[in-house]
């Protein structure tokens, strides 16, 4: 079984690329919140709940939204076997700290319900799954840095066990105005030859994931 | 009362992250839930916190919420009647 990267999307500080080509940069660089709003409008998204999400969920939502633009994965794959495997380093730390600020002083104990509901990174995957009606496995794993092996091994296992037949996987990292994401749309190859290797597709394997990650971040350095 | 209604609209937009809205977009008498602003259950909890944090009013009986949060005007009336 060969797994292939059908498409990939990166967001690296104020730039959105799809398959290596830039599809959006805002007019001004004013931090994540304004970037997220500008991107939402640019892609003519109609999902008012977006504005109520925390920043991590907004980044995950936008990344999945752009990745799946023009794709109709549910026309080819089971709703129960389409899922998300996401990774990041900061978990949901930004909103965790925001929540902590509302409860640390017992005399000013006013926890915000709308903050509290985002104090888990899995909510990011859940928001994207709800939006696209995916009911397959979804999870968020934490690693210190972009970890191609972790992404590959987890997704590969989900395919091998039959849990997924289509997977959106990758890296969605955000804390304050430092943010970046790289998501891959992964499916089984439709073009396998006799040796089981694909000729036209980008093979889903750790070395390729790392190569793409480094290339997408290169302009920033 | 009108001053309080305007203040509430600004606060509601802020705490509920209604980024696309301006205070004048909210009709003082329109229902906040359902057909009006389309708020959800988390928003309802956020409005309860708003009353307590900004106006020192704690809603003891959750059943009262339906009446209090019917519209911005009913919220303002409740605040006026109950603020110490």
């Amino acid at each position: 079984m060969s797994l292939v990267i059908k498409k990939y999307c990166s967001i690296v500080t104020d730039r959105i690329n799809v398959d290596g080509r830039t599809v959006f940069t805002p007019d001004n660089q004013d931090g994540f919140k304004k970037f997220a709003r500008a991107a939402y409008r640019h892609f003519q998204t109609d999902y008012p709940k977006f504005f109520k999400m925390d920043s991590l969920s907004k980044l995950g939502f936008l990344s999945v939204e752009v990745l799946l633009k023009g794709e109709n994965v549910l026309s080819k794959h089971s709703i129960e076997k389409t899922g998300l495997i996401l990774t990041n380093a900061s978990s949901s730390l930004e909103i965790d700290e925001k929540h902590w600020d509302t409860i640390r002083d017992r005399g000013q104990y006013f926890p915000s319900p709308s903050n509290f509901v985002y104090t888990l990174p899995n909510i990011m995957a859940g928001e994207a799954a709800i939006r696209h009606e995916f009911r397959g496995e979804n999870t968020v794993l934490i690693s210190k840095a972009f970890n191609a092996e972790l992404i590959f091994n987890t997704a590969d296992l989900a395919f091998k066990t039959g849990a997924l037949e289509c997977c959106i996987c990758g890296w969605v990292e955000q804390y304050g105005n430092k943010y970046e994401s790289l998501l891959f749309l992964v499916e089984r190859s439709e073009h396998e030859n006799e040796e089981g290797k694909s000729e036209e597709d980008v093979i889903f394997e750790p070395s390729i994931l790392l190569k793409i990650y480094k290339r997408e971040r290169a302009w920033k350095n | 009362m009108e001053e309080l209604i305007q203040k509430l609209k600004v606060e509601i937009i802020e705490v509920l992250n209604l980024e696309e809205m301006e205070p004048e977009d909210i009709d003082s008498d329109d229902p906040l839930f359902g057909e009006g602003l389309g708020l959800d259950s988390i928003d309802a909890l956020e409005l309860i916190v708003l009353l307590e944090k900004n106006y020192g009013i704690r809603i003891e009986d959750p059943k009262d919420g339906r009446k209090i949060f019917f519209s911005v005007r009913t919220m303002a009336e409740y605040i006026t009647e109950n603020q110490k």
Side-chain angles (χ1 to χ4, degrees):
Chain A
M1 175 191 71
S2 283
L3 297 177
V4 295
I5 299 168
K6 195 178 175 212
K7 197 174 176 185
Y8 63 90
C9 169
S10 75
I11 299 180
V12 179
T13 310
D14 288 356
R15 180 182 296 197
I16 302 181
N17 284 1
V18 173
D19 290 338
R21 287 184 295 276
T22 300
V23 295
F24 175 71
T25 49
D27 296 334
N28 301 303
Q29 296 189 347
D30 288 320
F32 179 72
K33 283 185 179 170
K34 287 187 178 174
F35 165 77
R37 194 188 305 181
Y40 174 91
R41 287 180 179 147
H42 177 81
F43 290 102
Q44 298 175 324
T45 319
D46 184 17
Y47 198 70
K49 199 183 174 203
F50 173 81
F51 293 105
K52 297 186 178 185
M53 295 177 192
D54 73 323
S55 293
L56 178 66
S57 292
K58 279 181 179 167
L59 180 60
F61 178 93
L62 282 172
S63 306
V64 176
E65 199 70 12
V66 179
L67 179 73
L68 297 182
K69 201 94 182 157
E71 302 288 331
N72 188 0
V73 293
L74 294 184
S75 68
K76 289 195 295 180
H77 303 289
S78 158
I79 192 170
E80 310 287 346
K81 295 199 174 187
T82 302
L84 300 108
I85 295 169
L86 307 179
T87 62
N88 78 6
S90 299
S91 184
S92 55
L93 188 59
E94 184 178 281
I95 198 76
D96 294 349
E97 289 179 344
K98 210 170 168 183
H99 176 62
W100 171 240
D101 283 341
T102 66
I103 61 171
R104 67 200 308 170
D105 181 351
R106 301 300 296 182
Q108 285 291 312
Y109 188 86
F110 296 109
S112 159
S114 55
N115 283 346
F116 177 72
V117 293
Y118 285 100
T119 55
L120 272 179
N122 306 58
I123 305 301
M124 159 180 58
E127 289 286 16
I130 291 168
R131 160 70 163 165
H132 296 281
E133 300 181 348
F134 301 152
R135 292 193 204 146
E137 296 282 337
N138 79 61
T139 191
V140 178
L141 304 169
I142 310 300
S143 63
K144 282 184 180 173
F146 179 83
N147 186 331
E149 296 278 347
L150 177 67
I151 295 165
F152 172 80
N153 288 334
T154 313
D156 189 50
L157 184 66
F159 278 96
K160 280 181 176 158
T161 57
L164 295 181
E165 56 185 48
C166 177
C167 180
I168 289 141
C169 59
W171 171 253
V172 184
E173 164 65 9
Q174 181 273 332
Y175 183 80
N177 285 327
K178 289 185 179 172
Y179 58 94
E180 62 175 28
S181 72
L182 174 59
L183 293 185
F184 304 94
L185 176 60
V186 178
E187 299 174 345
R188 287 192 176 87
S189 172
E190 295 170 352
H191 306 105
E192 292 190 357
N193 61 21
E194 288 176 1
E195 285 84 36
K197 289 182 180 175
S198 303
E199 289 175 343
E200 299 173 18
D201 300 316
V202 181
I203 302 295
F204 180 62
E205 60 180 33
S207 62
I208 301 286
L209 303 188
L210 190 58
K211 190 176 155 190
I212 293 173
Y213 177 69
K214 285 181 175 173
R215 195 176 61 208
E216 291 299 301
R217 295 182 91 237
W219 74 270
K220 188 181 164 187
N221 301 322
Chain B
M1 179 67 78
E2 283 307 312
E3 198 178 317
L4 177 57
I5 284 174
Q6 289 309 310
K7 185 167 175 259
L8 271 174
K9 288 178 182 177
V10 172
E11 290 172 338
I12 288 169
I13 287 170
E14 188 190 338
V15 300
L16 302 185
N17 289 323
L18 304 173
E19 291 187 21
E20 300 290 283
M21 297 198 87
E22 297 292 334
E24 52 270 27
D25 296 331
I26 304 175
D27 190 300
S28 307
D29 297 301
D30 271 359
L32 292 171
F33 295 86
E35 291 176 4
L37 285 185
L39 305 185
D40 60 23
S41 56
I42 299 295
D43 295 324
L45 293 172
E46 206 65 70
L47 292 181
I48 290 171
V49 174
L50 185 152
L51 275 196
E52 191 173 346
K53 187 178 177 184
N54 295 6
Y55 299 94
I57 298 172
R58 174 172 282 197
I59 296 173
E60 301 294 346
D61 187 351
K63 278 186 269 179
D64 293 340
R66 189 179 290 265
K67 212 162 56 182
I68 298 165
F69 298 119
F70 178 78
S71 67
V72 178
R73 188 178 303 282
T74 57
M75 276 183 78
E77 286 168 353
Y78 186 78
I79 291 168
T80 307
E81 288 164 14
N82 291 277
Q83 203 168 22
K84 289 164 192 167

